[in-house]
């Protein structure tokens, strides 16, 4: 899924991201939604569930009263970070274009989370400099394991603080969504506490009821 009228940027660690050009936007305020999805070997039994969860989040955004003011970016990661698409208006997203991920490889969870926070900060500053009001919300879907990152959780924390202290975000929320928490609860708790996520939600079994609960939670968060 590629952006039309996109600009390419690099964050301060060399991770590339893309975003719709500000001059093509019509409103005066936007919420930047980052969805970061673990596609490593340890979550391979849940590849179909990951797609369902991603679609549930997007659908919740589409039903939100603020749907016209959402710019969404989706990232998948194993030992590498792959941008599925950059920040794009929600109305431009065809949910049927998302595909079930092929899960393999190591886990650069910290790097992926950091790069998404940093991309949000860089793009929000671009928007703020052009007189937009900007908020952000970050969703990280993972089992919490990490064995391939070069950065630390301290780097994430530093970047999160910049978003508000730099005065280019009105508000910033971060939400950790744990998959397979029964086996990986200690990893998830450690990552949640180390980063200081605003909220933590577990999805033990991906059923219509749990997806509906997730969608309701996402809608309220936005």
């Amino acid at each position: 899924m590629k952006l039309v009228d996109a600009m390419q940027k690099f964050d301060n660690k060399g991770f590339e991201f893309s975003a719709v050009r500000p001059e093509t936007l019509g409103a005066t305020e936007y919420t930047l939604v980052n969805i970061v999805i673990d596609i490593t070997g340890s979550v391979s039994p849940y590849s179909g569930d990951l797609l369902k969860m991603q679609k549930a989040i997007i659908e919740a955004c589409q039903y939100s009263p603020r749907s016209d003011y959402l710019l969404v970016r989706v990232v998948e990661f194993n030992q590498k970070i792959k941008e599925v698409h950059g920040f794009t208006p929600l109305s431009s997203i065809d949910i049927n274009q998302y595909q079930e991920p092929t899960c393999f490889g190591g886990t650069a969870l910290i790097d992926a989370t950091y790069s998404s926070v940093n991309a949000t900060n860089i793009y929000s500053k671009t928007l703020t400099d052009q007189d937009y009001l900007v908020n952000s919300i970050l969703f990280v879907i993972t089992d919490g394991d990490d064995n391939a990152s070069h950065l630390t959780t301290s780097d994430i924390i530093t970047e999160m603080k910049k978003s508000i202290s730099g005065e280019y975000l009105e508000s910033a929320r971060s939400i950790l969504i744990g998959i397979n928490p029964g086996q990986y609860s200690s990893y998830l708790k450690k990552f949640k506490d180390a980063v200081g996520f605003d909220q933590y939600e577990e999805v033990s079994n991906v059923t219509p009821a749990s997806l509906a609960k997730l969608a309701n939670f996402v809608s309220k968060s936005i």
Side-chain angles (χ1 to χ4, degrees):
M1 193 181 296
K2 294 204 173 180
L3 287 177
V4 177
D5 292 327
M7 60 181 190
Q8 301 293 128
K9 283 183 172 271
F10 289 89
D11 66 20
N12 57 22
K13 298 293 184 183
F15 298 114
E16 186 176 13
F17 72 95
S18 60
V20 63
R21 294 184 182 278
E23 57 267 26
T24 67
L25 299 172
T28 58
E29 62 173 288
Y30 286 94
T31 296
L32 306 182
V33 182
N34 251 305
I35 305 172
V36 182
I37 306 169
D38 188 335
I39 60 165
T40 61
S42 61
V43 298
S44 57
Y46 306 97
S47 58
D49 292 341
L50 290 168
L51 178 61
K52 291 176 183 177
M53 292 166 69
Q54 178 186 353
K55 285 185 174 182
I57 292 173
I58 295 292
E59 287 177 338
C61 290
Q62 291 172 335
Y63 286 115
S64 167
R66 296 192 54 79
S67 61
D68 291 338
Y69 309 100
L70 302 181
L71 302 177
V72 181
R73 178 175 182 259
V74 177
V75 170
E76 295 176 342
F77 72 92
N78 44 33
Q79 69 270 24
K80 296 182 179 180
I81 301 167
K82 173 191 171 187
E83 184 180 72
V84 178
H85 64 77
F87 291 110
T88 188
L90 181 63
S91 59
S92 300
I93 293 175
D94 178 359
I95 198 169
N96 295 313
Q97 289 190 24
Y98 292 121
Q99 298 179 353
E100 182 175 330
T102 300
C103 300
F104 67 97
T107 312
L109 172 59
I110 293 173
D111 287 359
T113 303
Y114 170 88
S115 70
S116 293
V117 175
N118 191 223
T120 297
N121 286 348
I122 292 172
Y123 188 45
S124 62
K125 185 177 186 307
T126 299
L127 293 174
T128 301
D129 287 346
Q130 298 190 38
D131 296 326
Y132 291 96
L133 295 177
V134 188
N135 298 281
S136 77
I137 185 165
L138 169 70
F139 297 99
V140 180
I141 305 173
T142 182
D143 62 12
D145 193 12
D146 192 313
N147 54 28
S149 286
H150 299 288
L151 302 174
T152 68
T153 52
S154 295
D155 293 309
I156 300 174
I157 294 168
T158 298
E159 201 60 32
M160 283 180 165
K161 289 179 179 177
K162 283 183 187 176
S163 61
I164 301 300
S165 63
E167 298 184 355
Y168 37 81
L169 275 174
E170 299 293 310
S171 68
R173 283 181 55 75
S174 56
I175 297 165
L176 179 64
I177 300 174
I179 190 162
N180 192 18
Q183 184 175 351
Y184 285 89
S185 59
S186 61
Y187 292 96
L188 288 161
K189 185 177 187 305
K190 181 180 178 181
F191 186 56
K192 173 186 72 73
D193 293 342
V195 173
F197 280 87
D198 293 316
Q199 194 147 349
Y200 170 58
E201 292 291 317
E202 291 183 352
V203 180
S204 300
N205 297 297
V206 177
T207 63
S210 66
L211 289 173
K213 180 181 176 183
L214 175 63
N216 183 58
F217 166 73
V218 170
S219 183
K220 288 181 178 179
S221 299
I222 291 173

